[in-house]
Amino acid sequence: MSEGGLQCPLPLRQYPNVLLAHGGGGQLSRDLLHHLFLPQFENPLLAPLHDGAVVEIEGRSLAFSTDSYVVSPLFFPGGDIGRLAVNGTVNDLAMCGAKPLYLSCGFILEEGLKMEDLQRVILSCGEAAKEAEVLLVTGDTKVVEKGKGDSLFLNTSGIGLVERPLLPKMVKPGDAIIVSGTIGDHGIAIMSVREGLEFESEMKSDTASLYPLVAKLLDSCQQLHCLRDPTRGGIASALNEIAGAAGVGMVLEETAIPVRPEVQGACEILGLDPLYVANEGKLVAFVAKEESDKALEALRSHPLGKDAAVIGEVATGQEARSCPTGTVVMHTAVGGERIVEMMSGEQLPRIC
Amino acid sequence: MKYLDEYRDGDKVKAQLKALQERLTRPWQVMEVCGGQTHNFLKSGLDGLLPEGITLVHGPGCPVCVTPIELIDKAIALARQPQVIFCSFGDMLRVPGSKEDLLSAKSQGAEVRMVYSPLDALKIAEANPEHKVVFFAIGFETTAPMNAMAALQAKQRGVNNFYLLAANMLVPPAIAAILSARDCQVKGFLAPGHVCTVSGYVEYEEIAKQWWVPIVVTGFEPLDLIQGLYMLITQLETGSWKVENQYRRSATRQGNLAAKALMEQVFSVCDRKWRGLGPIPASGYCLKPEYADLDAEKVFQIEDITAEEPKECIAGLVLQGRKKPTECAAFGKKCTPQHPLGAPMVSSEGACAAYYQYGIKLRTS
Ligand code: SF4
């Protein structure tokens, strides 16, 4: 972590108070992480900044991850905060190449929350855990005064057994970049409820446990290098993070990226770019080029991966001049080129 | 979205590019007026495909960028008042005022809400009768009808806790202001299709006649942009100065008469100060005297807040197409979308943000 220490005090001093965008998964979140958290917490296990940490205990590799959920509304088409919280941590573990096993669940309830709503959330936590084949083995509940929390916040942590280590730094020039399905579904589903937008067909969150897809990929591809679930900040932010961590450039093909027409339409209306919209049931995989067909086949053999597509590749030597390290370039539909930046502010406040 | 795909068709765009290349016999400097067009030139990668002889300069058509700095200070002052719920389009929240932006005010406790339409703000007013709800009515002719509608509905429904911080601007006077600069190099304009859909383009005909410049009302998709450019260059190469309409699927000569009637009912034309361009006569909308009780500037007595632009930001020159964002010393260094010094770095229509977000040449040179 070469950026340790407050070498660049500007970003934080400019903001005397925390902004929503500090939690948005984009550049401001990164500033907060690098300038405030990491200098204090720095250790080699945290260093890869992956979705979860991989720790060794008596010869076994365990993946360990945590995430908090503050989504509003609590219930939305395709899911709710409970399902999101279970799948979110399950997916973070799966992205480490691990089989998710045990979860904890912490509830922060606001005084006045409807008992019926709480029951619904707990029920769906239970269901999601069963579907993902994990056990909720410990938990905690706290109640805060009315006005001190937004009805219900959830935290889940989890551990899983690493089957094969996958890390951003394993990504190599020439790797195929594969996405497991259409992008932006979750973010747009939340937006459509929150903003009261109505569309011809209902937008549904894609929240799902991705472990079944991961298991298939691990089975069929020996040269699977890295996985990431592009949640907050969308695939643009996920790819930029990996490009930075792996020290590579990436080239995307705009026309290859699967986007549902309804999602594209909603993005036009809202002025959003689907590349930056959150997903909760999609993964991005980096696989050696020779194995990209196998990976596609593996993904498409499962309903969650039926729209899987190769969307680009990690830049090789020849491209490196037009695609420097750490950048993501896109070949556009009309034959031009542009940069795909990390998300800079908050695109969707409090999306997960 | 099928119909949009048609306007993003790579083959059609390439064919039009080739035709454009063949038309061109000498270099021309042209301006796309609207920031949405600027963004799409860069976002689609079209800017890198244009023939060398064409220099695109980016115009003032970014509503967030031209909203004067003192108005942002006024907005913040309003938002900080205890009874006020301040509603705004999302883009506006991060535009720096002289000391801070609306989002920072929000993080310190001001009640600031992001809305997609002034009618949402009106709903918030109805749901919160004990609060005063102010909507930041910015934008060009495109947002003005909605703002007028909100004012009208507030009156009709007797909602007496709803106010507008009115800042609507008009595009044609800004084009005229750019042309009237003695050293103006712009030889033709792509006029904003969305704006003309509402306002029509009769006023643009006056400008074309007066300054002998061709103007093409143009849409926003890659194929629209390249077709608009082709029409414009054809006029320039043949010595013509008419207003032509590329965006026929939406814009008409007379515009949307119902929307225009609505605007006339609520607004009157007034002088406005533009951020970066300075005062331009008859270039904005103000609430008519009948609507004075909705006018936040009058009701809350914030009329005398003044503010200065930061010195290092050359947004004024960028908005007039005199400098490219990359010619600003702060670009990408002191000024980034995370820490914007000026509005063009924040807005989804700002030229500086477009260059920063999509500009590939910057990374590879
Ligand atoms: S780069 Fe920043 S400082 Fe320079 S003109 Fe643009 S907004 Fe202003």
Side-chain angles (χ1 to χ4, degrees):
Chain A
M1 233 160 298
S2 56
E3 291 185 67
L6 288 170
Q7 291 161 352
C8 175
L10 183 73
L12 294 179
R13 218 197 291 145
Q14 254 200 353
Y15 298 100
N17 298 77
V18 171
L19 303 184
L20 271 176
H22 282 116
Q27 187 65 42
L28 284 183
S29 304
R30 191 147 85 168
D31 287 349
L32 199 64
L33 181 70
H34 282 273
H35 299 306
L36 206 56
F37 287 106
L38 291 187
Q40 301 312 317
F41 298 167
E42 192 169 354
N43 67 62
L45 294 177
L46 178 60
L49 295 179
H50 200 30
D51 283 343
V54 173
V55 297
E56 297 284 331
I57 300 178
E58 301 191 342
R60 298 300 304 260
S61 276
L62 290 181
F64 181 29
S65 183
T66 188
D67 213 335
S68 300
Y69 298 82
V70 295
V71 66
S72 159
L74 296 181
F75 305 96
F76 45 84
D80 57 69
I81 191 169
R83 186 162 279 277
L84 207 58
V86 169
N87 288 338
T89 293
V90 161
N91 291 347
D92 284 347
L93 296 170
M95 294 308 115
C96 302
K99 177 170 171 46
L101 293 173
Y102 304 110
L103 254 50
S104 74
C105 200
F107 285 79
I108 296 173
L109 314 176
E110 187 188 22
E111 180 186 20
L113 171 71
K114 281 201 196 110
M115 201 52 89
E116 190 194 325
D117 285 350
L118 177 59
Q119 197 180 14
R120 264 175 84 187
V121 171
I122 293 176
L123 220 82
S124 83
C125 279
E127 271 172 24
K130 206 176 281 168
E131 284 165 28
E133 298 175 22
V134 294
L135 291 178
L136 285 165
V137 291
T138 179
D140 174 56
T141 309
K142 294 280 183 312
V143 181
V144 296
E145 265 174 68
K146 194 161 182 62
K148 300 274 165 69
D150 188 1
S151 69
L152 191 163
F153 296 148
L154 257 178
N155 170 279
T156 51
S157 300
I159 49 176
L161 265 183
V162 176
E163 301 184 353
R164 205 186 320 144
L166 302 170
L167 282 172
K169 67 170 194 286
M170 293 163 63
V171 169
K172 291 189 182 60
D175 276 3
I177 307 172
I178 298 177
V179 59
S180 66
T182 53
I183 61 166
D185 300 357
H186 173 75
I188 292 299
I190 299 275
M191 289 288 278
S192 63
V193 184
R194 195 184 293 157
E195 307 302 337
L197 298 173
E198 293 186 9
F199 298 99
E200 281 165 38
S201 50
E202 192 186 38
M203 307 277 181
K204 273 199 180 147
S205 166
D206 55 356
T207 175
S209 157
L210 291 167
Y211 179 69
L213 289 184
V214 175
K216 284 191 182 280
L217 282 174
L218 286 169
D219 262 357
S220 52
C221 302
Q222 288 318 301
Q223 298 184 70
L224 175 64
H225 293 145
C226 181
L227 293 172
R228 182 60 65 102
D229 62 334
T231 54
R232 277 182 319 187
I235 62 166
S237 299
L239 294 176
N240 270 286
E241 271 166 28
I242 295 181
V248 296
M250 296 180 191
V251 184
L252 305 182
E253 295 298 330
E254 183 170 22
T255 48
I257 301 173
V259 187
R260 264 180 227 288
E262 312 89 273
V263 169
Q264 182 71 47
C267 284
E268 302 295 336
I269 293 168
L270 298 168
L272 304 173
D273 185 336
L275 293 175
Y276 295 91
V277 179
N279 309 277
E280 289 291 344
K282 297 290 150 44
L283 59 79
V284 180
F286 293 81
V287 188
K289 200 178 199 151
E290 314 81 87
E291 289 196 338
S292 65
D293 287 343
K294 270 196 216 163
L296 274 184
E297 203 179 305
L299 288 169
R300 287 179 183 158
S301 70
H302 190 280
L304 281 178
K306 68 177 184 346
D307 297 319
V310 175
I311 59 167
E313 63 170 30
V314 178
T316 55
Q318 306 125 24
E319 288 155 343
R321 224 172 57 85
S322 60
C323 182
T325 300
T327 49
V328 179
V329 168
M330 182 148 85
H331 290 157
T332 62
V334 304
E337 284 186 325
R338 70 143 153 135
I339 292 282
V340 176
E341 251 293 313
M342 183 105 186
M343 181 157 84
S344 61
E346 50 181 315
Q347 226 194 356
L348 311 175
R350 284 183 56 196
I351 206 62
C352 52
Chain B
M1 280 296 122
K2 270 251 160 46
Y3 104 94
L4 272 184
D5 287 346
E6 190 185 322
Y7 295 96
R8 294 174 186 171
D9 183 313
D11 293 336
K12 285 190 186 151
V13 169
K14 277 172 211 151
Q16 193 76 64
L17 268 167
K18 194 158 162 273
L20 178 63
Q21 178 77 63
E22 284 160 7
R23 265 267 165 241
L24 204 65
T25 63
R26 55 197 162 122
W28 296 105
Q29 189 183 97
V30 297
M31 173 181 278
E32 84 282 0
V33 172
C34 171
Q37 293 169 330
T38 309
H39 261 249
N40 283 349
F41 265 117
L42 279 115
K43 189 175 174 188
S44 67
L46 208 53
D47 63 317
L49 301 174
L50 294 180
E52 266 193 14
I54 296 181
T55 308
L56 275 184
V57 295
H58 317 307
C62 159
V64 166
C65 306
V66 295
T67 302
I69 190 164
E70 56 262 31
L71 217 57
I72 295 166
D73 285 2
K74 285 178 186 178
I76 293 168
L78 275 174
R80 284 186 180 284
Q81 297 199 6
Q83 283 297 305
V84 168
I85 300 177
F86 193 86
C87 300
S88 166
F89 295 124
D91 261 10
M92 207 62 211
L93 302 183
R94 295 200 60 227
V95 176
S98 59
K99 288 188 203 72
E100 57 178 349
D101 59 22
L102 278 161
L103 267 192
S104 308
K106 180 180 180 190
S107 70
Q108 290 157 29
E111 181 70 51
V112 177
R113 295 199 196 165
M114 185 177 94
V115 292
Y116 284 92
S117 148
L119 298 180
D120 293 344
L122 186 60
K123 272 189 216 147
I124 293 175
E126 284 178 296
N128 296 278
E130 71 288 1
H131 285 89
K132 295 178 172 156
V133 175
V134 183
F135 178 71
F136 204 170
I138 66 149
F140 294 114
E141 290 90 329
T142 35
T143 58
M146 267 301 184
N147 293 340
M149 175 74 90
L152 199 71
Q153 287 191 1
K155 281 263 181 201
Q156 283 169 351
R157 293 197 225 145
V159 185
N160 53 17
N161 62 330
F162 178 73
Y163 310 88
L164 293 177
L165 181 55
N168 271 113
M169 312 283 216
L170 301 170
V171 170
I175 297 183
I178 287 169
L179 280 166
S180 62
R182 219 180 290 151
D183 54 346
C184 174
Q185 297 295 321
V186 180
K187 298 294 186 290
F189 290 87
L190 299 182
H194 290 168
V195 166
C196 293
T197 301
V198 175
S199 65
Y201 49 83
V202 175
E203 276 179 83
Y204 295 76
E205 292 172 348
E206 279 305 307
I207 296 177
K209 215 179 337 169
Q210 197 183 342
W211 302 93
W212 293 8
V213 289
I215 300 177
V216 180
V217 176
T218 304
F220 296 82
E221 296 302 323
L223 191 58
D224 290 326
L225 293 169
I226 196 71
Q227 273 175 356
L229 261 184
Y230 176 79
M231 291 162 76
L232 193 62
I233 296 297
T234 305
Q235 283 207 52
L236 285 167
E237 292 280 352
T238 54
S240 144
W241 55 83
K242 294 184 296 202
V243 174
E244 288 183 292
N245 185 7
Q246 181 277 332
Y247 199 45
R248 286 213 195 106
R249 65 181 185 278
S250 182
T252 59
R253 183 166 184 270
Q254 294 301 335
N256 181 336
L257 295 176
K260 287 199 324 195
L262 189 63
M263 296 192 289
E264 271 162 32
Q265 198 176 341
V266 175
F267 294 122
S268 53
V269 173
C270 61
D271 300 348
R272 276 233 177 270
K273 196 170 159 192
W274 293 54
R275 190 171 195 170
L277 300 180
I280 304 179
S283 68
Y285 276 141
C286 295
L287 286 162
K288 285 196 160 164
E290 304 92 281
Y291 289 86
D293 52 339
L294 265 66
D295 190 336
E297 282 199 68
K298 300 216 166 81
V299 176
F300 295 91
Q301 288 165 357
I302 45 164
E303 272 177 310
D304 48 358
I305 292 180
T306 56
E308 289 290 316
E309 304 276 349
K311 289 268 175 314
E312 43 205 331
C313 175
I314 60 160
L317 297 171
V318 171
L319 288 165
Q320 296 170 55
R322 289 160 166 269
K323 285 246 160 65
K324 295 245 168 190
T326 40
E327 292 174 75
C328 171
F331 178 89
K333 300 190 182 87
K334 269 182 92 175
C335 181
T336 62
Q338 294 79 52
H339 312 293
L341 289 182
M345 190 53 101
V346 181
S347 167
S348 57
E349 293 178 297
C352 300
Y355 271 66
Y356 189 88
Q357 260 179 34
Y358 308 125
I360 187 156
K361 281 190 211 129
L362 309 174
R363 310 300 171 92
T364 47
S365 60

